[in-house]
Amino acid sequence: MHKISIKLFVGIISALVNRNSLTVLTYHRVGESYNQLCMDEKRFEQQLVWLKRYFNPVSLTEGLALQAQGKLPKRSIAISIDDGYSDSYTKIFPLLQKHGLVATFFISTSGIQQGYLWDELVSSAIMQLPASDEALVFLEVTYPVATYSQRIECVKKIAKIIKYQSNDDRNILIEQLLNKTGKPQLKHQFLSEQQISALSDAGMEIGAHTVNHPILTCEQDQTVQSEMMLSKQHLEKITNKPVNFLAYPNGKSQVDFNDNHQRIAKECGFTAAFSTDWGCISSKNSNLFSLCRFTPWDITEFKFNLRLALNFNEKYTRLIGK
Ligand SMILES: [Zn+2]
């Protein structure tokens, strides 16, 4: 469909939707990786072009401030990038700059020293098994690993088991896995302090995403508090700016975090916190400590932008996933 007709469609839909609403898109990694959340560079750039063409990009700070004043322009969107892998700097940042866009980077700070987060360690351990290995036994379950797709499937299943554990139990399970697979070769693939500081100096926003990316509902309150606080303080030290926003790891409300964690985030001094629940942020009923995000998954220009336009009304958000 032609650009002008899409513009017309998007315009009509957004004329019908709530005013003063903000949609925050989430991305993770851009480039080449077997990571499920990784997006091809061309596709990412294409989406940036569409966002500029049909919507009104703002920074998160600007968007929330304008919304509080009731002055948010129609079809406002903000971009967020989760986790903090180095492609945030090498791939995403240059493309944002090329298109004159800003994003908020939510960073899990353990990766800065370690070079990766726990899930990368788990997936590399499985993907790098010797080519001749046909099966992996973990926690008394046998996983076939003869082919590439079997290994991807095995990564998904084992990562899911390890994910929903406390930090301590997660580390024990990872140790058990590495005893079976051997320690994988892993290069440092996370943002460095210098890169985070350069992103911030160039006008990108930096947000906290805890230290170790735990599922908060699997942790004691004291651990949750330190996970939030230490990541905030570390990032503030690097950027020399206040870190006001938090994205909850994994981010499903009432599954990965709850009302208690919202209270802790507030006590840590954050001004807003983001979930991965679908929806838009409307000034009428959005809780600042459980703000929704939404990214369409469509390939075509028409579907991607139509789905994004529909997200500006909460009534439609529930329908568009179907
Ligand atoms: Zn994350």
Side-chain angles (χ1 to χ4, degrees):
M1 191 177 287
H2 194 272
K3 269 195 279 215
I4 296 171
S5 349
I6 299 175
K7 209 160 206 160
L8 195 68
F9 259 104
V10 169
I12 291 168
I13 289 165
S14 49
L16 302 171
V17 303
N18 297 343
R19 295 185 146 266
N20 208 31
S21 295
L22 175 70
T23 292
V24 182
L25 292 97
T26 314
Y27 295 94
H28 288 84
R29 295 167 76 170
V30 168
E32 279 172 29
S33 165
Y34 48 72
N35 189 298
Q36 285 178 71
L37 298 170
C38 191
M39 181 185 276
D40 165 60
E41 225 172 322
K42 269 203 186 120
R43 197 170 153 211
F44 178 67
E45 183 170 18
Q46 178 66 82
Q47 295 191 357
L48 296 184
V49 171
W50 292 338
L51 293 176
K52 277 197 339 185
R53 186 178 292 160
Y54 302 112
F55 297 90
N56 176 45
V58 291
S59 72
L60 268 188
T61 301
E62 197 186 357
L64 292 178
L66 287 171
Q67 186 173 57
Q69 299 161 20
K71 290 182 183 161
L72 194 62
K74 269 190 170 179
R75 300 189 300 279
S76 286
I77 61 102
I79 301 167
S80 67
I81 316 286
D82 281 13
D83 295 342
Y85 277 90
S86 54
D87 55 277
S88 285
Y89 186 80
T90 57
K91 311 263 190 213
I92 296 174
F93 176 46
L95 288 171
L96 290 168
Q97 285 208 308
K98 179 178 166 188
H99 294 284
L101 293 163
V102 293
T104 301
F105 293 81
F106 288 107
I107 300 168
S108 289
T109 49
S110 67
I112 301 170
Q113 271 292 314
Q114 200 172 262
Y116 44 82
L117 301 177
W118 72 269
D119 60 327
E120 186 61 35
L121 179 59
V122 166
S123 49
S124 298
I126 296 165
M127 297 309 287
Q128 290 179 23
L129 284 168
S132 54
D133 281 16
E134 292 194 348
L136 171 68
V137 181
F138 179 65
L139 300 176
E140 293 169 22
V141 177
T142 303
Y143 300 89
V145 292
T147 66
Y148 182 84
S149 58
Q150 283 175 338
R151 287 181 182 201
I152 296 278
E153 207 43 45
C154 174
V155 166
K156 271 193 221 164
K157 286 180 178 156
I158 290 182
K160 200 170 170 192
I161 296 167
I162 296 178
K163 186 193 271 186
Y164 281 93
Q165 307 285 340
S166 66
N167 280 332
D168 291 344
D169 291 343
R170 192 185 266 180
N171 289 336
I172 293 168
L173 287 180
I174 291 174
E175 207 49 50
Q176 285 179 20
L177 177 72
L178 296 187
N179 280 337
K180 304 258 182 179
T181 59
K183 217 169 178 242
Q185 296 281 339
L186 264 177
K187 60 176 179 23
H188 193 288
Q189 47 191 293
F190 213 78
L191 289 170
S192 66
E193 292 195 347
Q194 290 79 358
Q195 288 172 330
I196 295 170
S197 156
L199 287 172
S200 168
D201 290 347
M204 299 294 150
E205 297 190 328
I206 304 298
H209 197 36
T210 71
V211 177
N212 295 298
H213 208 279
I215 301 292
L216 300 179
T217 47
C218 296
E219 301 289 352
Q220 304 287 330
D221 284 2
Q222 209 183 344
T223 309
V224 170
Q225 204 269 352
S226 70
E227 282 280 343
M228 289 184 189
M229 203 58 175
L230 292 177
S231 65
K232 185 179 197 290
Q233 287 169 346
H234 190 173
L235 294 166
E236 286 177 340
K237 197 165 161 234
I238 295 170
T239 58
N240 225 355
K241 289 177 194 159
V243 167
N244 294 323
F245 302 140
L246 168 77
Y248 300 106
N250 223 49
K252 293 268 168 295
S253 169
Q254 307 309 324
V255 177
D256 302 321
F257 72 97
N258 58 34
D259 298 1
N260 187 36
H261 305 128
Q262 295 182 38
R263 178 186 56 79
I264 298 173
K266 210 180 285 181
E267 284 169 6
C268 286
F270 291 105
T271 59
F274 294 83
S275 71
T276 53
D277 290 349
W278 286 358
C280 75
I281 305 173
S282 78
S283 47
K284 282 179 232 147
N285 50 10
S286 287
N287 163 6
L288 277 176
F289 286 83
S290 185
L291 294 172
C292 295
R293 297 188 280 176
F294 179 72
T295 314
W297 50 88
D298 307 278
I299 306 290
T300 69
E301 185 169 1
F302 178 66
K303 280 195 174 176
F304 178 93
N305 293 293
L306 194 67
R307 205 184 295 277
L308 187 52
L310 284 170
N311 182 61
F312 283 82
N313 188 319
E314 280 136 358
K315 266 185 276 172
Y316 302 142
T317 307
R318 271 171 225 118
L319 301 174
I320 54 185
K322 293 183 180 156

